[in-house]
């Protein structure tokens, strides 16, 4: 099969879409009520306690009903969770243990995993979320956006984005236990025939993380015809994965070299009202708090044109307009937030350093969409775009009834 340089022949029209390479995708979660997520688990437990201590109209008001959910809505169990399926209007028990999620790009938060509280929880994602799964999450398209096209997480992502059209969530595996890669049928075989039998599903994901880029038609992924370029891109992608996974799946946690690691030079106050950056001495100012050194690349790291450090800070310090249960937050600035901020600065700084290298492996001759059609990889069968049947047991339906499978 002859390889063709897609850029010369037809630009992005000749470059495969991520939607074809990882065909099963799920829309972002829709919570319907902002109080079910928070930067700290303690606030969620306090909100739950406040809610279940009320009854009738007061509970209804605090709950914040939508067309999809109110305290009387019958709802099936959330896969993998043991929360009650009785009507929430009768709930009086303790808060389910909050779970860690990725709230938009690079922001690890907490969620109450109760299906009765979430308008669209995407149960198909929860069914395949386990210790083997990785999720690729597209960043919404914004013209002239120079930030990364997607991110990868081992946490359950909610798929929310600060600007632009929300992207899709693409699990790496269609079944629990790391089984059945979510790749176009025939793609893995094609890549192994060209680049060697050691090409795995995770190697393909590493390449995608390296090479994916925005286009008006969706995220595109150039596929190299040259084996040396392929493995150079996979190696870079594995480092990008390590940084984004932050120690998950047995990987080493990100660290900047000695002398460049950010430290707290002045304690963050209980209520830091502002966030500023002093480029002269690479200092991040949280009110009277000071963190340095903070590389300019970390401060300027953007997704959809939005600075990630500013967005992270606003979600924790900008609670002035919150009301109802959402207004229940920590009274001060928890030490855990400072630790999380230091890690986020590290991750963004290291990703920014690698960003220029992400263009290099995608240069040169490519496998085009025509090549994929000739190999039978495209068009993708409709069954590959639907979730696999993964149920090996009955899931609990509303009011304790077993759902049919």
């Amino acid at each position: 099969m002859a390889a063709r340089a897609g850029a010369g022949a037809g630009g992005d029209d000749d470059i495969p879409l991520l939607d074809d390479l990882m065909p099963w995708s799920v829309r972002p979660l829709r919570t319907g009520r902002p109080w079910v997520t928070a930067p700290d688990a303690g606030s969620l437990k306090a909100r739950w306690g406040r809610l279940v201590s009320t009854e009738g109209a007061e509970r209804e008001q605090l709950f914040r009903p939508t067309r999809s959910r109110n305290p009387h809505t019958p709802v099936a169990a959330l896969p993998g969770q043991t929360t009650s399926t009785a009507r929430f209007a009768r709930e009086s028990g303790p808060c389910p243990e909050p779970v860690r999620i990725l709230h938009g790009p690079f922001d690890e938060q907490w969620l109450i995993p109760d299906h009765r509280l979430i308008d669209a929880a995407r149960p198909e994602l929860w069914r395949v979320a386990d210790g083997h799964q990785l999720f690729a999450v597209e960043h919404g398209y914004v013209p002239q956006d120079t930030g990364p096209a997607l991110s990868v997480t081992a946490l359950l992502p909610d798929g929310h984005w600060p600007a632009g059209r929300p992207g899709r969530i693409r699990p790496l595996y269609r079944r629990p236990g790391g089984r059945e890669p979510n790749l176009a049928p025939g793609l893995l075989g094609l890549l192994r025939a060209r680049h060697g039998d050691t090409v795995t599903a995770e190697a393909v994901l590493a390449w995608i993380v390296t090479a994916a880029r925005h286009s008006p038609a969706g995220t595109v992924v150039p596929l190299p015809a040259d084996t040396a370029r392929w493995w150079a891109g996979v190696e870079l992608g594995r480092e990008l994965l390590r940084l984004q996974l932050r120690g998950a799946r047995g990987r080493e946690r990100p660290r900047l070299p000695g002398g460049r690691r950010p430290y707290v030079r002045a304690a963050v106050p209980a209520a830091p009202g502002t966030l500023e950056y002093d480029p002269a001495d690479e200092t991040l100012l949280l009110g009277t708090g000071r963190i340095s050194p903070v590389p300019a690349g970390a401060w300027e790291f953007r997704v959809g044109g939005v600075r990630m450090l500013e967005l992270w800070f606003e979600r924790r310090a900008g609670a002035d307009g919150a009301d109802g249960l959402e207004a229940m937050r920590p009274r001060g600035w928890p030490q855990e937030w400072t630790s999380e901020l230091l890690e986020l600065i590290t991750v963004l700084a290291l990703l920014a350093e690698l960003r220029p290298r992400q263009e290099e492996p995608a240069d040169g001759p490519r496998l085009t969409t025509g090549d994929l059609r000739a190999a039978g990889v495209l068009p993708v069968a409709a069954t590959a775009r639907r979730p696999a049947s993964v149920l090996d047991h009955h899931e609990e339906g509303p009011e304790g009834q077993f759902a049919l499978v």
Side-chain angles (χ1 to χ4, degrees), residues 76-217:
L78 196 58
Q81 304 300 312
T82 58
T83 47
S84 172
T85 59
R87 308 296 170 98
F88 196 84
R90 302 196 300 270
E91 181 61 65
S92 60
C95 180
E97 195 61 34
V99 297
R100 197 72 156 153
I101 64 167
L102 188 70
H103 180 48
F106 305 106
D107 189 355
E108 296 186 356
Q109 294 206 15
W110 298 89
L111 168 73
I112 299 176
D114 192 314
H115 210 178
R116 299 171 296 177
L117 307 180
I118 306 171
D119 280 9
R122 315 301 179 200
E124 58 270 42
L125 288 180
W126 295 79
R127 291 190 183 104
V128 298
D130 63 8
H132 301 273
Q133 188 65 267
L134 297 175
F135 297 96
V137 192
E138 290 180 79
H139 300 169
Y141 173 69
V142 176
Q144 286 79 53
D145 182 10
T146 59
L150 56 82
S151 56
V152 176
T153 178
L155 301 175
L156 185 82
D158 63 14
H160 289 194
W161 303 115
R165 185 177 66 237
R168 308 278 293 193
I169 301 169
R170 301 181 188 274
L172 178 58
Y173 298 105
R174 292 167 51 82
R175 299 179 186 276
R179 294 180 292 123
E180 192 177 333
N182 178 26
L183 299 173
L187 177 63
L188 204 53
L190 173 65
L191 294 174
R192 284 172 174 167
R194 179 167 289 272
H195 301 310
D197 292 340
T198 55
V199 175
T200 62
E202 193 163 311
V204 177
L205 179 62
W207 172 265
I208 289 171
V209 171
T210 296
R213 68 181 191 228
H214 296 290
S215 87

Side-chain angles (χ1 to χ4, degrees), residues 37 48 55 80 93 101 110 139 143 149 156 186 244 247 277 290 297 308 337 345 348-350 358 372:
T37 60
W48 174 284
E55 296 179 350
I101 64 167
W110 298 89
H139 300 169
L156 185 82
Q244 295 189 40
Y277 180 67
R290 296 174 66 252
M308 291 295 94
W337 290 1
I345 291 168
L348 297 182
L350 291 169
Q358 291 182 245
L372 298 186

